[in-house]
């Protein structure tokens, strides 16, 4: 592995702090941003239905150290690594850590991904990056572009859970 390789890690965990609150997420970001900057880690964090979902990227040793700290962090439990890979380029290089608010469609897509054992970093990154761009557009007074549904059809239908009964 070359010295310029970037490790990307995707995990989910169960929140113990009410992470769906913007205030709780901002408290996490205030702590994470300077730590990540020091460790050359970038990424994206959100919460969906009481679960944290995060993609982090950086030098392998820094990601391993972060994972060790995350496992011991009392704000969550049941941390599960969903995907890990090595790449030559960052997907989130502009953000030491960003946490977008999810629109209803993005929230639904994230929920589908969380139910799918085969979803990858790219699947999650597509939805989360779209959410950031949507939020940036709103904050800048631009009309958000839609069409962020870049999840492949086979991912949408690979859930091992049967459809929920209605009625």
């Amino acid at each position: 592995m070359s010295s310029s390789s970037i490790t990307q890690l995707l995990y989910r965990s169960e929140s113990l702090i009410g992470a769906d609150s913007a205030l709780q997420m901002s408290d996490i970001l205030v702590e994470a941003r300077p730590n990540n900057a020091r460790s050359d880690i970038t990424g994206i964090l959100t919460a969906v239905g009481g679960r944290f979902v995060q993609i982090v990227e950086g030098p392998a040793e820094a990601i391993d150290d972060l994972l060790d700290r995350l496992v011991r962090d009392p704000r969550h439990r049941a941390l599960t690594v969903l995907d890990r890979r090595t790449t030559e380029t960052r997907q989130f290089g502009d953000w030491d850590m960003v946490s977008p608010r999810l629109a209803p469609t993005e929230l639904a897509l994230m929920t589908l991904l969380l139910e799918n054992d085969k979803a990858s970093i790219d699947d999650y990154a597509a939805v989360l990056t779209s959410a950031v761009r949507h939020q940036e557009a709103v904050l800048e007074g631009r009309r958000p572009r839609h069409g962020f549904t870049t999840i492949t059809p086979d991912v949408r239908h690979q859930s091992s859970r049967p459809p929920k009964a209605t009625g």
Side-chain angles (χ1 to χ4, degrees):
M1 181 166 42
S2 75
S3 61
S4 63
S5 292
I6 300 297
T7 295
Q8 294 178 319
L9 179 88
L10 164 66
Y11 79 85
R12 75 169 175 240
S13 63
E14 295 175 28
S15 170
L16 298 175
I17 62 167
D20 293 325
S21 150
L23 183 58
Q24 290 290 346
M25 293 301 281
S26 67
D27 288 346
I28 292 169
L29 293 177
V30 164
E31 182 181 329
R33 285 183 170 143
N35 293 337
N36 289 352
R38 274 191 301 275
S39 300
D40 195 26
I41 293 174
T42 55
I44 192 162
L45 168 70
T46 196
V48 177
R51 294 172 286 189
F52 289 115
V53 177
Q54 185 172 33
I55 303 171
V56 290
E57 58 190 8
E61 186 175 319
I63 296 299
D64 291 339
D65 290 345
L66 174 62
L67 187 56
D68 287 343
R69 288 191 310 274
L70 289 170
V71 167
R72 294 187 311 269
D73 190 320
R75 293 175 288 201
H76 62 138
R77 66 175 178 210
L79 187 145
T80 303
V81 173
L82 302 174
D83 197 4
R84 182 182 179 127
R85 69 181 178 196
T86 302
T87 184
E88 297 300 317
T89 57
R90 292 179 187 262
Q91 281 185 282
F92 309 106
D94 293 341
W95 310 310
D96 49 11
M97 187 55 57
V98 67
S99 181
R101 300 279 305 201
L102 300 178
T105 304
E106 296 157 345
L107 188 59
L109 288 170
M110 289 296 293
T111 300
L112 281 173
L113 289 172
L114 286 165
E115 293 174 355
N116 183 315
D117 292 338
K118 295 184 176 150
S120 71
I121 288 173
D122 290 330
D123 296 322
Y124 283 88
V127 177
L128 293 171
T129 302
S130 174
V132 171
R133 300 291 181 229
H134 180 258
Q135 190 169 315
E136 287 173 343
V138 169
L139 292 172
E140 293 171 1
R142 294 182 285 119
R143 172 169 245 154
R145 289 183 325 175
H146 295 286
F148 49 79
T149 310
T150 57
I151 299 172
T152 58
D154 57 321
V155 169
R156 288 188 209 153
H157 301 291
Q158 288 176 351
S159 177
S160 60
R161 296 182 186 176
K164 292 183 180 175
T166 59

